[in-house]
Amino acid sequence: MPRSPFFFSLRWKLAILFGSVFLLMHSIFSYFAYRHAIESFYLDRVKEHRNHLHIARALTEDSFLVLEQLAEMLSIFGEQRSRSDTSRGQTSFTMLDEKWSRWQLSWGIENIVFFDSNGATIKSWGSPMPTDDATIHKVIHSEIPGHRTICDSICFQQAVVPVIGRSQTVGAYGVTRSFADIMIKYKQATGADIGILSADTTLSGAPEHPWPYQLAGLTLSDNKGLYQYIAAHVALSELNDQTKTIHLAGATYEIGIVPIQEDKKQSPLFLFINDITEIEENLQKDLQKVWLYGVISLLGSLTLLPVLLHYTFSRVARLSGALPLLAAHQYDKFRERIGFKKIASTDYDEVDQLHQTALTLAQQLQSLEQEVHSNTLTLIKKSRELAIERDFIRQLIDTAPIIILTQKLNGIILTINQAGVQELGREEHSIKGKIFDLLIPETEWEHHKKLSMLRSGEITGQFQVDGQLISETGKTRDISWLHSLFNPPNNPDEAVILTLGVDNSERSQYQQKMLTQPIQDPVTGLASYQQFRDELTIALATARRYDYLIAVLLFDIDPYEEINNLHGPRAGEMMLTWVARRLKDSLRSIDRLSRINKNVFALLISHVKPDHLDNFAKKLIQDIGASPFIHTGKNYRLNAHIGIAVYPEHGLTPNDLYANADAARLHAGQIGPGSFHCCRLSQDSQLKIEQMLNLRQMLEQAIMKDRFELEYQPVLDSRSSELHHYECLLRLPQDDGEQLLPEVFLNHAEELGLAGKIDCIAFKQALRTLNETGRQGKDFRLSINLSGKVFEDSGFYDDVAYLFDLYDIGAEKIIFEIPEAAVESHYTQAKTLIQQFKRLGCGVALDNFGVSFSSFYYLKNLPIDYVKISAPLIRQIDHTLDDRMFVKSLSDVAHTFGKLTIAKSVENGGVLETLNELGIDLVQGSLIGNPESSI
């Protein structure tokens, strides 16, 4: 029996781990807290010492200023009279003699002395003081007060102030007093002791006086012993610009020295003595408290930690002990062992969540076990049913009305259903083993090509194609084929192709029949709205050609809504049919009546005379209301509101005529039942029609006389700067020498139905240009802009193919530029025409790319070669971040789909540089080359 591993509870592992971490963190935090407290204490001491120094020097400066002021007062108010013998220089000081005693007591003056202009002492009051001739002469000659410190056993301050006569210095006063007042005030301000040390060279080197200074004064005489201790144990260099802490007789002192006057050599020194014993004791007490509280909190945490871990892990241990029951599928005992706690409980935690998850898991496992048992029984039952269904599906495939067959990758047919057998008209055994490719016409080269690509793996998945099937008798059937590559899961190496074929022969015949029938309104049998639009377009073209008038009458029938609401839609349709039958009987054979929508009809009248329109409208209203419409025994009197618009007075295009007639109809409705209104255009609208008439005349003349011209602008490769092709730009010369650009006339040409003819003219001129330059040995390609109306011209492709053959020009020499907006509105026709161009070998460019939300869709689904980015996105691309980012995205997507990008309107070097950075392939614009009339 294997030996059980030593068990060491997780709770004790975590207790030891957390305890060690707590102890380490506590030690680190306590150490840094201690260091911070000590550093803060010393920083505070430095600040306080500097503060004391500032106080001492401020008191000294204030004292010198007071002495200066007293000396200046003596020079101003002192009594000075010259005796009769002025040559002897004798002066009288009666006032100072009288007030000396009072001033000495009031000001604390030790001495006042007067010097003459030569620095000689004239008279002195008080205790005699040693003089400094250099200081006195300097004051007299510079006329600037001077300060000096006099020290012997006691130190004094002396201020020497010059006495100015009328034109020269006549002498100087010297006023002296003791430092005692300064020291007393310092003691009162700071609470610390201060002393003065005066230099004494006689003490230098004496063992009992290590410092060459004697103590000239001290605020507390008890500290003299401390001074002697300091002088004996501390070197003067240790106190330069810093303080020193001294421990003596159970007390702590902070010692510092500074010169009394910084600008004087051999100046006496201030001695600062600050008793910080109490402050240091408080610091130690605070540090002890910090350590004590930290130790107490650590011990409390370490004591509480095992208790918490024991409580937490006892629940985990209970879950651990219950898990074997779950493995033994004893779900009820498992739930009983771990218990249950309500989720709303305030002490719900992660362990409770773990318990809840375990309970949920137990419930799911129990449900899953029951479900597996149930599914096993169901699987046995379904297996029996599946065998029945398999037989049914096999029978269904055989009876399905679509061709279902499988073939190998080499085309050999493996299986075929009964519908396929019937379509081919052969026996099943004669079909199996045959090559599928022999069942489809050889002319379906695209079908054969895609099938080969599917077999070789060039096409993955499946593809659909409309084609034909050749039967045994040689007849062909229209089939819609779907080929899918299938890899059997039991043998993936033996891939097969599943082929489905739907017979569309009858549907194709029906569609052809529908195409040959006119589009009619299903209710009235009249022409529908679309048929009316087509007839109006043809009528306008004929009227323009033969120069006659046509009129469009739009009218609505009342009470259609009342009948529809009371008796239902069927009754309303019966009323409309009744009206249509009555009107067709009363109209001319050349008049075309159509139903537009609901109760609105349209009437197209050719060869109309304006003065007959009123009578025609009245007769129409009379015919409509001649007899009532009867339904369910109730008579309904019918009436109409008629709007009239006449070509060319009220419009030259189908849209204009229809819109103006409809506006007139609404106006007639406001007049009342049985009324009509002929369109009345505003002056601006009439002017627009006149301009359109003039433009139409000009365009028709230009088409008839082939006056349109082409200019050629180079398009270069942005990387190599080599010519890629020329773009043909259409121009219409005027009699005054000016040229009309396409922006001026092309939109109107589309409205007037002339754009297709202009496209053909431009194409012919481009082919002639290629023919002429080819004879000169020049070889290049041309791009031609097509209008949006080209998709509505079903014969344009045939014209293009015919002209290529006529001029013997290869189709690869032409690139057709198609506007993206036209593609968006005629997508199906555009896709068909582009595919036809590609089969010819032409290049196709999508012009003004990027202005539509569907741009990326066109890249994926249209077989175009180039995308020509819209000019507004290019002009400011070197300055506009949004344009740069958008063009970059367009370029990347175009390149992904294998298209080349063209940027037009390149007008400066900054734009060209930016386009090169974005990877644009081709560029054109005024910077590249302006349009020229010849190549």
Side-chain angles (χ1 to χ4, degrees):
M1 182 176 181
R3 184 178 178 181
S4 300
F6 176 73
F7 180 78
F8 188 48
S9 176
L10 182 60
R11 74 186 68 178
W12 289 112
K13 292 179 181 178
L14 292 178
I16 294 173
L17 175 62
F18 289 159
S20 301
V21 172
F22 285 167
L23 182 60
L24 177 62
M25 296 301 293
H26 173 266
S27 301
I28 293 173
F29 291 155
S30 298
Y31 172 76
F32 283 108
Y34 172 78
R35 293 294 305 167
H36 178 71
I38 295 298
E39 290 175 0
S40 298
F41 172 75
Y42 284 115
L43 287 175
D44 291 341
R45 298 312 313 152
V46 171
K47 291 179 181 178
E48 185 171 353
H49 174 68
R50 291 175 180 170
N51 186 39
H52 288 184
L53 172 61
H54 293 327
I55 291 173
R57 284 187 170 158
L59 291 173
T60 303
E61 292 297 326
D62 288 344
S63 180
F64 273 121
L65 290 176
V66 169
L67 293 178
E68 281 187 23
Q69 292 170 0
L70 178 59
E72 289 175 356
M73 183 184 68
L74 292 175
S75 66
I76 295 172
F77 296 104
E79 181 181 353
Q80 300 183 23
R81 291 183 304 164
S82 299
R83 295 187 177 181
S84 56
D85 190 1
T86 57
S87 63
R88 296 167 58 187
Q90 296 178 352
T91 307
S92 174
F93 301 95
T94 305
M95 182 179 177
L96 187 55
D97 291 336
E98 292 176 355
K99 299 184 179 293
W100 161 248
S101 299
R102 188 187 310 168
W103 287 0
Q104 185 179 24
L105 293 175
S106 300
W107 294 82
I109 303 301
E110 291 291 335
N111 172 262
I112 296 177
V113 62
F114 178 75
F115 305 97
D116 64 9
S117 60
N118 296 319
T121 302
I122 303 299
K123 188 171 182 178
S124 176
W125 294 265
S127 304
M129 293 290 170
T131 61
D132 183 3
D133 293 339
T135 300
I136 295 168
H137 284 93
K138 181 179 179 182
V139 169
I140 292 173
H141 287 92
S142 64
E143 299 182 355
I144 298 174
H147 301 160
R148 60 189 290 254
T149 303
I150 304 171
C151 285
D152 191 9
S153 59
I154 301 176
C155 287
F156 300 91
Q157 290 178 284
Q158 185 181 62
V160 181
V161 178
V163 178
I164 310 299
R166 292 185 178 180
S167 59
Q168 60 181 357
T169 303
V170 299
Y173 275 108
V175 183
T176 306
R177 71 174 177 183
S178 172
F179 269 92
D181 287 343
I182 296 175
M183 298 170 67
I184 293 171
K185 290 179 181 178
Y186 173 85
K187 177 71 174 182
Q188 292 172 349
T190 64
D193 290 325
I194 188 171
I196 297 178
L197 299 177
S198 61
D200 189 348
T201 55
T202 61
L203 300 177
S204 179
E208 64 276 13
H209 294 287
W211 288 0
Y213 292 91
Q214 64 175 347
L215 188 63
L218 191 62
T219 54
L220 188 62
S221 59
D222 292 343
N223 280 335
K224 290 184 178 180
L226 176 61
Y227 167 71
Q228 294 175 357
Y229 176 82
I230 294 170
H233 294 85
V234 179
L236 277 174
S237 58
E238 295 183 47
L239 299 176
N240 288 337
D241 298 327
Q242 60 184 351
T243 60
K244 182 77 174 178
T245 303
I246 300 297
H247 299 278
L248 182 63
T252 303
Y253 299 94
E254 191 175 63
I255 309 299
I257 60 172
V258 294
I260 293 177
Q261 292 179 283
E262 288 184 320
D263 56 347
K264 300 290 185 180
K265 294 182 179 180
Q266 299 300 323
S267 172
L269 305 176
F270 278 131
L271 174 64
F272 300 104
I273 302 176
N274 192 6
D275 189 349
I276 60 171
T277 304
E278 184 178 355
I279 297 175
E280 191 175 57
E281 290 176 353
N282 291 336
L283 173 64
Q284 295 300 326
K285 290 179 181 179
D286 291 340
L287 292 175
Q288 290 174 1
K289 289 180 181 180
V290 170
W291 281 98
L292 178 62
Y293 294 157
V295 171
I296 293 174
S297 63
L298 175 63
L299 294 176
S301 300
L302 294 177
T303 303
L304 186 60
L305 180 62
V307 176
L308 295 175
L309 291 175
H310 174 75
Y311 170 73
T312 301
F313 281 95
S314 62
R315 295 183 289 158
V316 176
R318 187 164 64 249
L319 176 61
S320 176
L323 286 177
L325 297 175
L326 195 62
H329 308 288
Q330 299 179 18
Y331 303 110
D332 294 333
K333 289 185 178 180
F334 174 79
R335 285 189 283 268
E336 181 182 352
R337 176 71 66 87
I338 68 174
F340 176 75
K341 179 184 284 189
K342 294 182 178 179
I343 296 178
S345 177
T346 56
D347 61 341
Y348 190 84
D349 55 21
E350 287 83 353
V351 177
D352 295 317
Q353 188 175 18
L354 182 61
H355 283 196
Q356 185 66 33
T357 303
L359 289 172
T360 303
L361 177 62
Q363 182 65 36
Q364 292 176 349
L365 288 174
Q366 188 174 12
S367 300
L368 184 62
E369 185 175 342
Q370 295 171 355
E371 185 179 355
V372 168
H373 178 71
S374 175
N375 289 342
T376 303
L377 297 177
T378 303
L379 183 61
I380 296 173
K381 180 181 178 181
K382 291 294 182 182
S383 297
R384 297 192 184 100
E385 295 175 352
L386 185 60
I388 298 173
E389 289 181 3
R390 183 180 63 244
D391 296 337
F392 172 76
I393 291 173
R394 183 180 294 111
Q395 183 180 1
L396 184 64
I397 291 175
D398 287 337
T399 58
I402 63 174
I403 302 172
I404 303 175
L405 62 87
T406 58
Q407 54 178 300
K408 292 183 178 181
L409 294 183
N410 57 6
I412 295 177
I413 298 175
L414 298 174
T415 62
I416 187 169
N417 68 340
Q418 190 61 33
V421 172
Q422 293 175 356
E423 290 285 353
L424 289 171
R426 303 179 184 180
E427 296 294 333
E428 182 178 355
H429 64 84
S430 66
I431 299 173
K432 292 180 179 180
K434 300 294 184 183
I435 303 297
F436 173 80
D437 301 52
L438 300 176
L439 304 180
I440 55 178
E442 295 181 358
T443 55
E444 294 184 9
W445 61 270
E446 185 177 0
H447 189 174
H448 286 283
K449 179 180 178 182
K450 287 187 176 181
L451 194 56
S452 299
M453 294 173 68
L454 182 66
R455 291 166 178 167
S456 63
E458 296 180 49
I459 296 178
T460 58
Q462 62 184 20
F463 74 90
Q464 187 270 335
V465 63
D466 292 332
Q468 291 181 327
L469 175 69
I470 304 174
S471 67
E472 178 69 17
T473 60
K475 293 183 179 180
T476 59
R477 305 284 291 178
D478 292 331
I479 305 293
S480 179
W481 296 104
L482 177 66
H483 300 284
S484 302
L485 186 64
F486 177 69
N487 293 300
N490 55 346
N491 192 4
D493 294 332
E494 290 294 332
V496 296
I497 295 176
L498 175 64
T499 299
L500 305 179
V502 179
D503 190 344
N504 293 327
S505 300
E506 293 182 0
R507 188 181 69 179
S508 299
Q509 294 172 3
Y510 175 76
Q511 288 177 346
Q512 185 64 30
K513 181 179 179 181
M514 292 300 295
L515 289 173
T516 60
Q517 293 179 351
I519 303 175
Q520 293 182 338
D521 173 46
V523 175
T524 62
L526 300 176
S528 67
Y529 172 73
Q530 184 59 48
Q531 182 68 12
F532 167 75
R533 295 283 300 207
D534 294 342
E535 291 178 351
L536 178 58
T537 302
I538 296 172
L540 284 175
T542 306
R544 279 196 298 267
R545 182 174 181 180
Y546 296 104
D547 194 21
Y548 61 81
L549 304 183
I550 62 174
V552 174
L553 282 72
L554 285 182
F555 56 93
D556 52 59
I557 308 297
D558 284 336
Y560 170 78
E561 294 292 343
E562 180 182 349
I563 296 173
N564 199 57
N565 294 334
L566 287 176
H567 305 289
R570 179 58 184 160
E573 292 176 354
M574 291 174 62
M575 185 205 77
L576 297 176
T577 304
W578 186 79
V579 171
R581 188 166 56 249
R582 286 183 61 84
L583 292 179
K584 283 194 295 185
D585 293 339
S586 63
L587 295 174
R588 301 177 302 174
S589 60
I590 61 173
D591 299 334
R592 295 294 294 170
L593 180 65
S594 307
R595 182 189 174 211
I596 303 303
N597 58 48
K598 288 187 178 180
N599 62 332
V600 179
F601 291 82
L603 182 60
L604 178 59
I605 306 174
S606 301
H607 300 281
V608 69
K609 295 182 179 180
D611 53 350
H612 293 174
L613 280 175
D614 287 359
N615 293 332
F616 191 94
K618 291 176 182 178
K619 182 179 182 303
L620 186 62
I621 293 172
Q622 183 179 356
D623 290 342
I624 292 172
S627 59
F629 171 71
I630 303 173
H631 187 75
T632 63
K634 187 174 181 179
N635 294 345
Y636 290 94
R637 186 164 181 258
L638 305 182
N639 55 69
H641 312 98
I642 303 176
I644 306 171
V646 180
Y647 165 84
E649 181 182 356
H650 301 137
L652 303 179
T653 66
N655 286 339
D656 290 342
L657 277 177
Y658 184 87
N660 290 331
D662 196 38
R665 178 183 67 85
L666 296 176
H667 185 78
Q670 296 175 355
I671 297 174
S675 58
F676 65 90
H677 179 73
C678 189
C679 176
R680 287 185 176 86
L681 296 179
S682 65
Q683 187 174 358
D684 291 341
S685 298
Q686 291 176 352
L687 180 61
K688 178 183 176 182
I689 290 178
E690 290 178 5
Q691 291 174 345
M692 288 282 286
L693 281 171
N694 294 333
L695 182 60
R696 187 189 72 186
Q697 241 176 5
M698 179 185 68
L699 291 176
E700 288 176 343
Q701 288 291 323
I703 292 171
M704 184 174 63
K705 297 181 179 180
D706 196 11
R707 295 184 57 187
F708 290 96
E709 295 179 356
L710 292 181
E711 290 188 348
Y712 308 91
Q713 186 174 36
V715 180
L716 303 186
D717 187 303
S718 63
R719 297 175 184 82
S720 64
S721 297
E722 294 180 356
L723 177 68
H724 186 272
H725 67 274
Y726 287 97
E727 180 182 4
C728 299
L729 302 175
L730 193 65
R731 302 290 186 263
L732 179 55
Q734 301 296 293
D735 295 337
D736 58 1
E738 296 292 328
Q739 287 187 328
L740 286 184
L741 301 180
E743 293 82 14
V744 177
F745 62 82
L746 196 56
N747 288 336
H748 298 303
E750 291 182 359
E751 292 180 1
L752 296 170
L754 303 174
K757 295 180 180 179
I758 296 175
D759 287 338
C760 282
I761 290 174
F763 180 54
K764 288 179 183 178
Q765 291 194 13
L767 293 180
R768 284 198 293 266
T769 300
L770 288 172
N771 210 333
E772 293 171 3
T773 54
R775 288 196 295 269
Q776 299 171 9
K778 298 178 182 179
D779 185 22
F780 48 78
R781 304 177 75 187
L782 297 179
S783 67
I784 303 170
N785 292 280
L786 298 181
S787 68
K789 293 297 181 180
V790 71
F791 302 126
E792 300 176 8
D793 186 356
S794 58
F796 183 77
Y797 169 74
D798 294 333
D799 293 340
V800 168
Y802 169 75
L803 290 173
F804 273 131
D805 291 338
L806 179 64
Y807 286 95
D808 192 23
I809 299 295
E812 70 279 359
K813 297 292 185 181
I814 294 294
I815 301 171
F816 287 113
E817 295 189 12
I818 301 174
E820 184 183 19
V823 173
E824 187 173 17
S825 57
H826 302 82
Y827 177 75
T828 303
Q829 299 94 320
K831 186 174 183 180
T832 301
L833 185 60
I834 292 172
Q835 289 173 342
Q836 291 173 332
F837 285 157
K838 294 299 294 179
R839 283 197 290 269
L840 278 177
C842 304
V844 181
L846 199 59
D847 198 8
N848 290 326
F849 183 74
V851 299
S852 168
F853 290 109
S854 305
S855 297
F856 295 139
Y857 176 80
Y858 301 146
L859 285 181
K860 179 181 178 183
N861 293 279
L862 294 179
I864 57 176
D865 304 289
Y866 308 90
V867 290
K868 199 165 187 178
I869 301 172
S870 179
L873 296 173
I874 302 297
R875 290 193 179 98
Q876 300 294 325
I877 195 171
D878 55 333
H879 301 299
T880 306
L881 179 60
D882 290 344
D883 289 348
R884 190 157 57 246
M885 294 175 64
F886 188 60
V887 171
K888 172 64 174 174
S889 301
L890 291 180
S891 174
D892 291 344
V893 174
H895 289 156
T896 300
F897 288 107
K899 321 296 184 186
L900 295 180
T901 52
I902 305 175
K904 54 185 178 181
S905 297
V906 180
E907 298 171 354
N908 59 68
V911 171
L912 180 61
E913 183 179 354
T914 302
L915 294 174
N916 284 330
E917 293 173 357
L918 298 180
I920 301 300
D921 301 300
L922 307 175
V923 291
Q924 72 177 108
S926 59
L927 180 69
I928 307 302
N930 290 317
E932 300 290 345
S933 58
S934 61
I935 302 177

